[in-house]
Amino acid sequence: MNFFAAEPVCKLRSLRSVSLKVPETARAKDFYHEVWGLSTVEEDSDRFWLRGTGSEHHILKLEKGQQNALGGVAFALATPQEVDQAAVKLAALGIPLFREPGPLDDAAGGYGLQLVDPEGRLIELSADVHAVVIQEPGGRRAIPRKIAHVVLNTVDIDRATAFYTQVLGMRVSDWSEHQMSFLRCNTEHHVIAFNQAPWTAVNHVAYEMQSIDHFMRGIGSLKTHGIAPQWGPGRHGPGDNTFSYFTDPSGLVCEYTSEVAQVDEDSWLCRTWKRTPELSDQWGTAGPPTVNVRTAMAGIPDEGYRSLVVPGSSDYFTVPSANVANHAANH
């Protein structure tokens, strides 16, 4: 199925949160709460909701899973009416819903729907979630403010990019050759990036620090816990953002970042960046990523929610790469 929607089904306002499935949720929660800088706002058995200093109820949800996987990605819409309108347009396109529009039973509340993208990822569109007070707007503590972006490995970067632009209304800010596409939904350079890979998986989640000073203090704080960067600190070319990559106790990659480029829609020109060390790190300080973080970024093959929904068309889902079977045979 190709995506030739006359117009996007909605106008995404921002990236709200990311949900991750891990085998040991309590251990992961302890890391993100005690070391990474987030605060636990709700917990329920093997589920934990953690917030940053920004306005979202939570930016990270941890759920129990047999292996590392993406639980879902949540985006903000302006009103419940926009959620309902999106549902009608999604149905017309034959795009499967995992949850019909209605009140959400998540800790953040609100009104929303959940769709399943062509590689099985769960995407939530929500409005009217619980309000929280912004914390420490001028504070010095090294605490993430929000999710800056999530990078997702895809077996078909062109189809993934087409779905998120044509159906969900994102815009392509830049390409890194034909290896990565960087997509925005507001003025920030990217909130989603797709990385061409042998299988679908989470590549990494990036957390925005309030300033470059907070970014560096965050790295220093992790070092006091005996945790050194596995790539960084440096400054990327696409997005012009600072970066420092780590792995959490589950083996998922988490990133501190700051100073993400802001896009002026009237003047921005999409570019294709060469994949060179100088453009991967403009500062020249990061050195090459470790073998461990490269392996962690590859992730574990994740079929997501594709088996839990019945799409309107048999050719909706992207066919997994043959490398998925090879990976399973070797592990």
Side-chain angles (χ1 to χ4, degrees), residues 107-162:
Y111 185 92
L113 63 78
Q114 293 173 335
L115 64 97
V116 180
D117 83 359
E119 290 183 275
R121 303 180 192 90
L122 189 72
I123 303 298
E124 180 178 287
L125 309 178
S126 60
D128 284 4
V129 301
H130 293 163
V132 296
V133 176
I134 295 176
Q135 299 175 339
E136 294 192 334
R140 287 187 53 80
R141 291 195 298 162
I143 304 174
R145 190 166 70 91
K146 63 178 183 177
I147 297 289
H149 59 262
V150 56
V151 175
L152 303 169
N153 294 332
T154 175
V155 300
D156 189 339
I157 193 169
D158 293 316
R159 194 163 191 255
T161 301

Side-chain angles (χ1 to χ4, degrees), residues 219-289:
I219 296 170
S221 176
L222 286 173
K223 285 190 173 183
T224 66
H225 286 86
I227 302 171
Q230 299 199 34
W231 188 26
R235 185 183 286 277
H236 284 314
D240 198 35
N241 54 299
T242 64
F243 68 87
S244 192
Y245 295 89
F246 304 84
T247 51
D248 72 11
S250 304
L252 290 165
V253 179
C254 45
E255 175 192 1
Y256 279 155
T257 190
S258 65
E259 300 189 342
V260 179
Q262 299 297 300
V263 171
D264 180 343
E265 293 288 350
D266 293 330
S267 61
W268 186 266
L269 296 176
C270 177
R271 292 175 290 177
T272 299
W273 294 74
K274 292 290 186 181
R275 295 179 66 80
T276 65
E278 296 79 10
L279 297 179
S280 293
D281 174 23
Q282 299 181 72
W283 288 347
T285 57

